[in-house]
Amino acid sequence: MKYLCLAYYNPADFAAMAPADVQALVSQCPPKDKELKATGQLRLSASLGEPEQTIRIQPRGGKPKVTDGPFTEVKELVGGFFIIEADSRDEAVRLASIHPAATLGEQVGWYIDMHPIGFFEQYSGKPA
């Protein structure tokens, strides 16, 4: 079973940190990332761009409408995501718990939501 793991953070709390504290926090991430990669069960990992660059596309009047996002009332944002593959829910929890957002960054609201993936198809290249 594959799981989509969404890593959240609180942008206001993150912005309130002193630069040295931010550096001290993020410098702890590469060893955790390396440990998760070493399991061989990490299928994909990515961080997301700045929130100001986010757009929302949703149906309006039968057509896609594009708006800026996220909206100011949002207190938590997805900062990254990863996909893991595990034989059981318990194993998936164990794997996701290695990620920095599960073990570090409590002061900036880091946490992970883990979603089982019902359908997964990987694409590469341009269609023929």
Side-chain angles (χ1 to χ4, degrees):
M1 177 64 122
K2 290 180 178 63
Y3 294 84
L4 171 65
C5 301
L6 302 173
Y8 287 83
Y9 74 104
N10 182 314
D13 290 347
F14 209 91
M17 287 180 69
D21 293 337
V22 170
Q23 181 56 37
L25 175 61
V26 298
S27 70
Q28 297 176 69
C29 294
K32 292 282 184 188
D33 291 338
K34 185 176 180 180
E35 183 181 350
L36 183 55
K37 287 175 191 174
T39 69
Q41 293 168 284
L42 180 66
R43 299 293 172 246
L44 175 74
S45 180
S47 62
L48 301 179
E50 295 300 317
E52 300 81 30
Q53 299 170 335
T54 302
I55 60 170
R56 176 176 286 176
I57 304 170
Q58 63 189 114
R60 289 291 181 256
K63 297 180 181 179
K65 180 180 179 187
V66 178
T67 58
D68 291 336
F71 301 98
T72 56
E73 63 269 11
V74 174
K75 293 181 183 168
E76 299 158 333
L77 294 174
V78 176
F81 65 94
F82 57 103
I83 294 176
I84 55 175
E85 189 164 0
D87 292 331
S88 69
R89 180 183 181 273
D90 289 343
E91 182 182 22
V93 168
R94 180 186 63 76
L95 292 168
S97 295
I98 296 170
H99 190 275
T103 58
L104 305 169
E106 186 174 345
Q107 69 274 33
V108 293
W110 281 0
Y111 68 91
I112 294 171
D113 280 344
M114 195 173 76
H115 302 265
I117 296 175
F119 170 80
F120 183 87
E121 188 168 343
Q122 190 167 341
Y123 304 98
S124 63
K126 296 181 181 181

